[in-house]
């Protein structure tokens, strides 16, 4: 299975258009010291040619360039993705659906709760459907679902959606179970698995045990500390109140994830205020010393066959 990190920043990207926090200033003046990043999205593939998107960000048009293969399409129109899987209905994870409206046929995979928010509240599904056929495959919680190519054939990949601690999007009119999930993606042929959890408010033992089964883990690295936005005078809510478990400190994600046996552990959905975005910061060094990777756009992981 191939895993490609398309966008490693949280909503707003890095630097964020209206932000002049210390990290965004460095990203503008010295990108070699703080690499710019697009908004949270990833892709997986069984064969390295046919890809499924994990969340569709507002930067999807630029991000699809990472999927370019050697083959030049022989048809006039060619859609380089086989489907879009969404973990929640947040703007940064779903606006890309409507931006892919030229597809004509755009399969989406989502839980019932996410579908109803996209239908009723953000109206991204009905809006996209004015342009394109958008068949939606339901993702029941804690149940593996096979991913099919656009032509209906089996991809050999499966996804299992599991609920994670978080509130619904601010614009959601009701709070149904399954509004925010993580994905466990499995390749039947190799037996390899990738966990994708870009938004998560807490990590209990049950969730840690689940994540331990993954060969690669892409996890919520939004904030370094709980008070990050308050300290900068940007916001009045803590990271936890925003449903993002901070990386540092007691009970933070770093100490909890450090002991996991996953071969690759990667932070993604990194907010522009987070000091790990600075290549030479002490916070970056603390993360990399534990063997964790600070995700960047274009990061590729190849999860080989079980025998390797
Ligand atoms: C989040 O990650 O908390 C949401 O995406 C917030 C937002 O986009 O405003
Ligand atoms: Mn977000
Ligand atoms: Zn900033």
């Amino acid at each position: 299975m191939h895993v490609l990190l398309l966008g490693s920043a949280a909503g707003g990207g890095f630097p964020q258009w209206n932000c002049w926090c210390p990290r965004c200033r460095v990203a503008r003046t010295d990108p070699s010291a703080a690499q710019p990043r697009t908004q949270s999205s990833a892709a997986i593939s069984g064969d390295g040619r046919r890809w499924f998107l994990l969340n569709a960000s507002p930067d999807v048009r630029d991000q699809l360039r990472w999927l370019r293969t050697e083959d030049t399409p022989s048809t006039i129109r060619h859609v380089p993705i086989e489907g879009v899987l969404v973990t929640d209905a947040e703007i940064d994870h779903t606006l890309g659906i409507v931006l892919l409206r030229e597809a004509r046929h755009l399969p989406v995979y989502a839980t019932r709760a996410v579908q109803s928010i996209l239908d009723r509240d953000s109206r991204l599904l009905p809006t996209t459907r004015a342009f394109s056929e958008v068949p939606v495959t339901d993702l029941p919680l804690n149940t593996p679902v096979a991913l099919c190519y656009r032509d209906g054939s089996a991809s050999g990949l499966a996804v299992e959606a599991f609920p994670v601690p978080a509130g619904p999007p601010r614009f959601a009119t009701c709070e149904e179970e399954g509004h925010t999930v993580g994905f466990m993606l499995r390749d039947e042929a190799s037996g390899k698995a990738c966990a994708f959890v870009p938004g998560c408010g807490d990590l209990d033992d049950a969730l840690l045990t689940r994540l331990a089964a993954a060969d690669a883990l892409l996890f919520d690295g939004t904030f370094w500390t709980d008070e990050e936005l308050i300290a900068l005078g940007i916001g009045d809510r803590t990271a936890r109140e925003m449903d993002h478990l901070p990386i540092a400190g007691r009970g933070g994600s770093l100490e909890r994830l450090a002991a996991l046996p996953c071969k690759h552990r990667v932070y993604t959905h990194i907010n522009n205020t987070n000091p790990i975005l600075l290549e030479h910061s002490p916070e970056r060094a603390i993360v990399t010393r534990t063997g964790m990777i600070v995700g960047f756009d274009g990061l590729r992981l190849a999860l080989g066959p079980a025998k390797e």
Side-chain angles (χ1 to χ4, degrees):
M1 174 161 55
H2 302 259
V3 180
L4 181 44
L5 190 54
L6 298 173
S8 50
F14 181 56
Q16 180 172 310
W17 64 280
N18 62 341
C19 192
W20 290 88
C21 77
R23 287 20 122 181
C24 286
R25 284 176 192 268
V26 177
R28 287 196 183 89
T29 56
D30 184 7
S32 70
Q35 206 178 306
R37 285 164 166 81
T38 62
Q39 297 169 83
S40 178
S41 178
I44 57 153
S45 170
D47 61 7
R49 287 194 313 114
R50 288 171 290 182
W51 296 89
F52 291 89
L53 270 191
L54 308 180
N55 292 333
S57 93
D59 300 316
V60 66
R61 184 178 174 279
D62 294 325
Q63 292 170 338
L64 290 180
R65 75 191 166 90
W66 295 109
L67 304 183
R68 237 173 247 160
T69 56
E70 311 295 274
D71 327 334
T72 306
S74 53
T75 48
I76 290 190
R77 291 283 165 87
H78 172 74
V79 176
I81 48 169
E82 302 294 328
V84 182
L85 287 62
V86 290
T87 55
D88 53 67
E90 294 285 0
I91 303 282
D92 56 344
H93 289 162
T94 55
L95 203 56
I97 294 174
V98 78
L99 301 179
L100 294 171
R101 66 194 178 285
E102 296 92 353
R104 298 213 178 133
H105 177 80
L106 186 69
V108 166
Y109 295 74
T111 64
R112 282 226 187 279
V114 170
Q115 290 171 48
S116 60
I117 300 169
L118 293 175
D119 243 329
R120 206 183 42 211
D121 297 324
S122 71
R123 298 202 40 85
L124 284 181
L125 272 182
T127 305
T128 311
R129 284 192 173 128
F131 302 87
S132 183
E133 207 185 298
V134 188
V136 180
T137 301
D138 187 33
L139 298 179
L141 296 175
N142 306 310
T143 311
V145 171
L147 302 183
C148 289
Y149 292 131
R150 284 156 50 90
D151 65 9
S153 62
S155 71
L157 301 174
V159 61
E160 181 174 343
F162 51 89
V164 294
R170 292 191 201 196
F171 51 85
T173 49
C174 73
E175 188 168 339
E176 288 164 51
E177 207 201 359
H179 58 69
T180 308
V181 297
F183 289 147
M184 185 67 82
L185 303 136
R186 250 177 239 287
D187 180 1
E188 285 158 22
S190 68
K192 296 289 179 186
C194 172
F196 180 64
V197 188
C200 187
D202 202 4
L203 261 176
D204 61 14
D205 290 341
L207 183 50
L208 273 176
T209 304
R210 195 193 280 268
L211 300 180
D215 299 281
L217 168 64
L218 307 184
F219 192 82
D220 184 342
T222 311
F223 297 113
W224 177 250
T225 62
D226 208 25
E227 309 259 309
E228 193 161 311
L229 295 188
I230 299 169
L232 287 164
I234 291 176
D236 54 9
R237 292 186 302 160
T238 64
R240 283 183 174 85
E241 283 166 358
M242 296 174 74
D243 302 310
H244 296 293
L245 181 65
I247 296 173
R250 282 192 65 182
S253 63
L254 191 64
E255 72 170 28
R256 307 232 73 196
L257 299 177
L260 286 188
C262 316
K263 184 168 179 201
H264 310 276
R265 288 164 298 138
V266 181
Y267 276 125
T268 190
H269 192 280
I270 307 167
N271 197 57
N272 59 77
T273 51
N274 192 327
I276 65 171
L277 290 170
L278 302 181
E279 307 284 332
H280 307 296
S281 66
E283 293 86 355
R284 166 72 71 102
I286 290 169
V287 169
T288 50
R289 221 180 290 133
T290 67
M292 283 201 66
I293 297 170
V294 174
F296 54 90
D297 296 10
L299 171 68
R300 283 171 197 270
L301 303 172
L303 308 181
K307 284 196 206 90
E308 262 186 11

